[in-house]
């Protein structure tokens, strides 16, 4: 629970506060004092009479009623102290800095649970233990530095790690990113990241609250809560970016030893973030760069002049596919630079990320070139040369703003080659950022030789993207993150009663036989290749004659058919089929032979796995080598909307093959998306299905048909 006493206490006591500002107890007192806390600050320390000018209480029992307590004492002393304060002093909020609880030992976990029980009994909020504290515009109850510039429209930052929060703040401050609040939740047993998001969602004030949330997550304890409140905040106009650490096996071990975090598979995290509309980041620099982009770009860029997926309407199903936050190919950039190399690198990086850097030509471009120094280039990037002045910089920006209608945003690269006065150039840039309707992304790389000039620019409320490639990479992440999926579950014609009957009729756990696989998939209306399973050679030969040669024969029984020689392709005669049947029936564990009509087309893949706490994670991609070797797959969290399915398909590295390339026709993308949606909806009503692989599906421009599938059931 999050209450007023935690956020806006009228009185604070630091238990363990000291005069030594190089220790947590002294540092937290210093930060509260320097932060201008308007209420009453008290300190308890049995060894001191005065701490940093504050009269000290020797024992917590001597305190008057106090609303918020910050504990910086050994872990073993914390439970009794919390009980005394909650019972006798009316304390309704606690921040426990101390470590040594459930993240370390079982005995620590017992102490932590006792504290939780006390807080529940007295209706108190609890941040921590094992954290750096809470920082907002009312009180700076942290023991660390830096203390960033606080602004009501700054960023809300929530971190599952205290030290990592400090490093992320360091990265952000250098860029000029301002903050509204910083939450270090530590072990997060009462108030976790999901709970902070819930509070921000339920109390959101669009006029006064921050619209940007940055998250560092080590444990997703409640995926449903995170999904609901993150997507709700984004629908209200917020932007959210997050790092989820500990998705690999080694990373999860490290996270567990740090805060007792529970591992989540990477595909589950990817699927959850996609569904919520959270921009996923993988490092501190990327996270803070995305935060700066959010502040520079409060709303998504207009769609660029190339292909877009912002509004796809399926006439057959009447579905609206939600837009990407910037659209594939969205956002056409002009690059204004006085250094050719960085302009080229930024152009390459933007293009690689699917963003547009259009050529500038025509009368307006010729006119601009005449006004710049001889040798300047205007085709885009606009290179005003190393000797270009503040006036030339302003002129180039004005043309991008007023005369180049195809431009949606402007990146300005301007450092110091030691030839121009940067104060004038940065003042011009400052004015243009305030005047222009098109967003301007400043890339000011000279942090060493132009430190004072950059610092003055940041003090005016701006941010700085000192590295152009990092900016482009982060921009592509932002622009290609889908908007939140619709929360409604649509059945799309799934035969749920029949599905339940089939699942109920399965007696044992394990991989189900081929006919049961077909029955389950048919409940979702997934097209299936004609096939027959039998132990009769004559029956299979008659079936092959009926559907027409060539056919495929597969052994039934072994899970990995190819590994035991259990697949034969391009069988064109009854005699060949008879030979393959006799050979396959001799394979160990063979229980029959399946014969299918042999089809041609592009191999696709759809799979799903049930993840504890997340539900079914659905995977899609190209089949064959693309899945097994290149790992070119995208994930989504069931149930999926059509918008999510299209976003997954179009995020594949091999999407050009699906779309059609080098004279080859593409596949029926709509039917592929429909199968993904139908399968994901079916899984929503069949939690007994723990794994499913449909590999391959064969697709052409007309149809997409499931050829082979396996389903693992746990009763």
């Amino acid at each position: 629970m999050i209450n007023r006493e935690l956020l806006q206490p009228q009185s604070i006591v630091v238990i363990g506060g000291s005069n030594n500002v190089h220790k947590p107890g002294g540092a937290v007192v210093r930060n509260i004092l320097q932060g201008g806390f308007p209420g009453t600050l008290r300190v308890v320390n049995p060894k001191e009479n005065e701490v940093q000018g504050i009269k000290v209480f020797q024992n917590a029992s001597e305190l008057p009623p106090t609303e918020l307590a910050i504990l910086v004492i050994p872990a073993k002393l914390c439970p009794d102290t919390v009980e005394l304060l909650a019972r006798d002093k009316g304390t309704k909020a606690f921040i426990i800095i101390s470590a040594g609880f459930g993240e370390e030992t079982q005995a620590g976990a017992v102490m932590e649970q006792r504290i939780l029980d006390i807080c529940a009994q007295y209706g108190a909020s609890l941040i921590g233990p094992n954290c750096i504290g809470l920082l907002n515009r009312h009180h700076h109850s942290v023991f660390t530095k830096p203390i960033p510039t606080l602004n009501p429209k700054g960023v809300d930052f929530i971190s599952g790690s205290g030290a990592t929060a400090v490093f992320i703040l360091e990265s952000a401050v250098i860029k000029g990113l301002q903050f509204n609040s910083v939450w270090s939740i530590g072990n997060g047993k009462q108030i976790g990241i999901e709970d902070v998001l819930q509070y921000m969602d339920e109390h959101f004030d669009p006029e006064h609250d921050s619209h940007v949330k940055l998250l560092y997550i080590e444990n997703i304890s409640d995926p449903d809560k995170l999904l609901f409140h993150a997507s709700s905040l984004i629908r209200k106009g917020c932007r959210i970016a997050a790092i989820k650490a500990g998705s690999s096996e080694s990373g999860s071990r490290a996270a567990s030893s740090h805060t007792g975090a529970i591992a989540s598979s990477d595909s589950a995290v990817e699927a959850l973030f996609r569904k919520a509309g959270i921009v996923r980041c993988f490092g501190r620099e990327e996270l803070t760069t995305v935060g700066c982009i959010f502040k520079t770009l409060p709303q998504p860029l207009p769609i660029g002049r190339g292909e877009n997926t912002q509004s796809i309407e399926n006439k057959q199903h009447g579905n609206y596919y939600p837009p990407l936050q910037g659209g594939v190919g969205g956002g056409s950039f002009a690059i204004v630079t006085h250094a050719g190399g960085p302009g080229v690198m930024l152009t390459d990086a933007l293009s690689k990320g699917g963003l547009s850097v259009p050529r500038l030509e025509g009368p307006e471009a010729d006119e601009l070139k005449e006004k710049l120094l001889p040798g300047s280039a205007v085709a885009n990037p606009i290179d005003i040369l190393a000797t270009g002045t503040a006036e030339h910089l302003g002129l180039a920006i004005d043309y991008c703003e007023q005369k180049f209608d195809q431009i949606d945003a402007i990146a300005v690269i301007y450092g110091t080659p030691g030839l121009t006065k940067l104060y004038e150039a940065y003042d011009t840039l400052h004015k243009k950022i305030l005047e222009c309707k098109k967003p301007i992304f400043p890339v000011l790389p000279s942090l060493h030789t132009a430190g004072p000039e950059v610092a003055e620019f940041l003090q005016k409320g701006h941010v700085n993207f000192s590295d152009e490639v990092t900016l482009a990479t982060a921009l592509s992440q932002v622009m290609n993150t889908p908007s939140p999926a619709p929360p409604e579950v649509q059945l799309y014609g799934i035969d749920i009663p029949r599905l339940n009957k089939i699942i109920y009729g399965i007696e044992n756990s394990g991989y189900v036989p081929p006919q049961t696989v077909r029955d389950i998939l048919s409940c979702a209306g997934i097209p299936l290749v004609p096939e027959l399973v039998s132990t009769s050679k004559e029956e299979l030969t008659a079936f092959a004659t009926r559907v027409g040669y060539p056919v495929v024969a597969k052994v039934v029984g072994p899970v990995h058919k190819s590994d035991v020689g259990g697949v034969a392709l391009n069988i064109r005669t009854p005699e060949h089929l008879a030979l393959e049947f006799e050979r396959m029936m001799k394979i160990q564990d063979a229980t029959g032979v399946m014969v299918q009509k042999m089809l041609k087309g592009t191999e696709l893949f759809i799979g799903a796995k049930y993840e504890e706490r997340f539900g079914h994670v659905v995977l899609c991609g190209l089949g064959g080598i693309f899945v097994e070797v290149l790992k070119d797959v995208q994930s989504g969290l069931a149930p999926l909307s059509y918008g999510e399915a299209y976003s997954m398909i179009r995020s594949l590295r091999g999407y050009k093959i699906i779309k059609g390339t080098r004279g080859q026709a593409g596949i029926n993308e709509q039917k592929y998306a429909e199968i993904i949606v139908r399968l994901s909806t079916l899984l929503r009503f069949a939690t007994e299905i723990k794994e499913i692989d449909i590999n391959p599906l064969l697709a052409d421009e007309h149809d997409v048909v499931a050829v082979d599938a396996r389903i693992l059931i746990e009763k």
Side-chain angles (χ1 to χ4, degrees):
M1 60 173 290
I2 296 174
N3 55 23
R4 179 197 61 78
E5 288 84 355
L6 179 65
L7 299 178
Q8 292 185 314
Q10 295 178 4
S11 53
I12 299 175
V13 59
V14 180
I15 309 293
S18 73
N19 285 304
N20 188 345
V21 296
H22 299 292
K23 291 186 176 181
V28 71
V29 173
R30 175 201 63 200
N31 287 344
I32 294 173
L33 289 172
Q34 291 181 355
F37 173 58
T40 302
L41 178 61
R42 303 179 175 114
V43 175
V44 171
N45 188 324
K47 299 179 180 179
E48 300 281 357
N49 293 316
E50 184 178 284
V51 166
Q52 300 182 45
I54 301 172
K55 187 178 184 307
V56 169
F57 294 87
Q58 302 294 312
N59 192 292
S61 61
E62 303 171 0
L63 285 167
T66 306
E67 293 189 339
L68 168 64
I70 303 167
L71 275 61
V72 199
I73 54 178
K76 63 183 180 181
L77 303 178
C78 288
D80 287 344
T81 303
V82 170
E83 184 169 25
L84 184 151
L85 293 170
R87 183 190 63 221
D88 299 341
K89 307 302 177 182
T91 304
K92 291 292 185 179
F94 294 90
I95 298 173
I96 300 182
I97 304 293
S98 316
F101 291 89
E103 79 282 0
E104 289 190 7
T105 65
Q106 183 57 41
V110 171
M111 290 191 295
E112 191 169 4
Q113 186 58 51
R114 184 184 164 204
I115 292 171
L116 285 170
D117 293 341
I118 294 167
C119 289
Q121 179 182 353
Y122 292 97
S125 293
L126 172 65
I127 293 288
N130 185 27
C131 69
I132 64 168
L134 172 64
L135 170 69
N136 62 25
R137 288 179 289 113
H138 187 74
H139 63 104
H140 297 183
S141 295
V142 294
F143 69 87
T144 55
K145 287 188 174 183
I147 303 295
T149 301
L150 296 175
N151 184 317
K153 295 299 182 180
V155 172
D156 287 320
F157 173 42
I158 315 166
S159 176
S161 165
T164 305
V166 172
F167 300 151
I168 289 172
L169 288 172
E170 292 270 10
S171 172
V173 166
I174 290 172
K175 295 178 177 67
L177 188 60
Q178 299 182 357
F179 288 77
N180 178 55
S181 66
V182 177
W183 300 68
S184 165
I185 56 119
N187 293 358
K189 295 301 182 181
Q190 188 204 70
I191 298 174
I193 288 176
E194 300 93 333
D195 303 292
V196 179
L197 282 178
Q198 178 181 0
Y199 182 88
M200 291 178 175
D201 180 26
E202 293 176 348
H203 296 82
F204 184 67
D205 179 351
E207 293 295 321
H208 301 100
D209 288 352
S210 170
H211 284 64
V212 175
K213 321 292 179 188
L214 301 183
L215 316 176
Y216 172 79
I217 306 172
E218 289 187 346
N219 172 32
I220 301 177
S221 60
D222 193 336
D224 284 341
K225 183 184 283 189
L226 178 63
L227 171 62
F228 181 87
H229 293 292
S231 57
S232 175
L233 280 165
I234 294 171
R235 290 190 190 97
K236 292 174 180 176
C238 293
R239 317 289 289 281
I240 301 178
I243 297 171
K244 170 60 179 81
S247 294
S248 68
E249 181 179 350
S250 298
S252 66
R253 183 183 67 248
S256 177
S257 65
H258 178 212
T259 59
I262 302 171
S264 307
S265 78
D266 192 66
S267 58
V269 172
E270 187 73 33
L272 177 65
F273 283 13
R274 178 190 296 276
K275 198 172 194 69
I278 297 171
V279 177
R280 188 175 187 188
C281 300
F282 295 90
R284 301 191 304 270
E285 286 299 307
E286 188 177 9
L287 182 69
T288 55
T289 300
V290 169
C292 291
I293 290 171
F294 285 163
K295 300 305 294 183
T296 306
L297 191 66
Q299 299 299 325
L301 283 176
I303 287 301
R305 276 65 192 167
E307 175 195 5
N308 74 76
T309 56
Q310 280 258 58
S311 60
I312 308 165
E313 188 174 355
N314 184 321
K315 303 295 184 183
Q316 179 181 351
H317 299 281
N319 296 309
Y320 175 74
Y321 304 146
L324 301 181
Q325 292 197 10
V328 174
S332 295
F333 279 78
I335 301 171
V336 179
T337 179
H338 70 165
V344 174
M345 289 189 284
L346 180 55
T347 301
D348 287 342
L350 288 171
S351 300
K352 183 179 179 181
L355 303 173
S356 173
V357 185
R359 182 177 180 83
L360 300 176
E361 53 189 352
E364 291 84 1
D366 295 339
E367 183 180 291
L368 173 61
K369 187 174 178 63
E370 286 295 319
K371 295 181 178 181
L372 297 176
L373 296 174
S376 299
V378 297
N380 202 11
I382 300 171
D383 187 350
I384 64 173
L385 303 181
T387 50
T389 64
E391 182 181 356
H392 295 126
L393 175 64
L395 190 65
I397 294 173
D398 286 343
Y399 269 74
C400 294
E401 166 74 9
Q402 300 166 13
K403 299 195 176 186
F404 297 143
D405 293 336
Q406 67 270 49
I407 296 303
D408 300 315
I410 307 162
V412 174
I413 304 173
Y414 205 101
T416 174
L419 300 175
T420 57
K421 296 180 179 180
L422 281 188
Y423 282 114
E424 293 180 5
Y426 289 173
D427 187 57
T428 296
L429 183 57
H430 161 69
K431 292 174 181 176
K432 296 304 178 185
I433 289 174
L434 298 181
E435 294 172 2
C436 292
K437 294 181 180 178
K438 296 176 182 178
I440 297 175
F441 295 85
V443 181
L444 314 181
S446 302
L447 301 181
H448 175 66
T449 55
E453 294 93 329
V454 173
E456 182 181 276
F457 177 79
L458 298 182
Q459 286 172 2
K460 295 176 180 177
H462 303 301
V463 296
N464 174 32
F465 305 92
S466 60
D467 181 78
E468 59 279 346
V469 175
T470 302
L471 166 62
T473 302
L475 266 169
S476 67
Q477 281 289 90
V478 171
M479 302 289 282
N480 291 289
T481 297
S483 295
E488 302 82 11
V489 177
Q490 300 185 39
L491 298 183
Y492 298 110
I494 308 300
D495 191 342
I496 297 172
R498 182 172 173 234
L499 173 66
N500 291 336
K501 185 177 180 180
I502 293 169
I503 298 292
Y504 182 77
I506 299 172
E507 295 182 357
N508 301 312
S509 298
Y511 288 99
V512 300
Q515 187 55 50
T516 306
V517 172
R518 292 179 68 85
D519 292 342
I520 290 173
L521 295 181
S522 67
C523 290
I526 295 175
L528 303 160
V529 64
E531 70 177 31
L532 177 67
V533 176
S534 178
T535 57
S536 167
K537 178 170 51 178
E538 292 74 17
E539 191 175 8
L540 291 172
T541 302
F543 170 79
T545 301
R546 185 166 66 252
V547 299
Y549 289 95
V551 296
V552 178
K554 302 177 183 179
V555 69
V556 177
V559 173
H560 301 289
K561 302 176 181 63
S562 299
D563 294 348
V564 294
V567 179
L569 306 176
N570 203 27
I571 299 172
R572 294 183 174 275
T573 66
E575 293 77 14
H576 187 185
L577 178 58
L579 288 172
E580 293 294 350
F581 173 82
E582 292 171 359
R583 181 182 66 83
M584 289 183 185
M585 288 302 292
K586 296 176 183 178
I587 294 174
Q588 185 177 354
D589 299 326
T591 60
V593 173
M594 172 195 297
V595 172
Q596 296 175 325
K597 173 68 178 175
M598 186 168 177
L599 303 176
K600 293 183 178 180
T602 300
E603 289 190 1
L604 304 175
F605 159 79
I606 301 177
K609 183 178 181 182
Y610 185 83
E611 290 277 353
E612 197 67 36
R613 298 178 295 122
F614 285 80
H616 285 98
V617 177
V618 180
L619 305 172
C620 78
L622 292 167
I625 190 173
F626 289 93
V627 173
E628 297 171 6
V629 178
L630 302 182
K631 309 298 184 186
D632 184 17
V633 295
Q634 291 291 324
S635 58
L637 201 60
L640 296 165
S641 66
Y642 273 85
E644 291 176 276
Y646 272 92
S647 172
M648 291 165 62
I649 294 169
R650 296 179 180 184
S651 297
L652 292 167
R653 296 194 300 275
Y655 175 63
K656 288 183 179 179
I657 297 173
I658 291 174
K659 185 180 176 183
T661 185
R662 294 198 173 185
Q664 294 185 350
I667 71 158
N668 191 317
E669 191 177 340
Q670 177 181 316
K671 289 194 174 181
Y672 187 27
E674 183 176 340
I675 292 173
I676 294 171
V677 170
R678 285 178 172 271
L679 179 66
S680 76
T681 308
L682 177 145
L683 293 170
R684 173 69 174 78
F685 298 95
T687 56
E688 297 88 349
I689 296 177
K690 300 305 178 185
E691 290 183 17
I692 182 169
D693 287 315
I694 308 177
N695 188 16
L697 295 94
L698 288 178
D700 57 25
E701 63 267 35
H702 303 296
D703 295 303
V704 180
V705 179
V707 173
D708 198 5
R710 61 177 183 172
I711 296 176
L712 176 65
I713 295 282
E714 286 186 12
K715 296 292 288 185

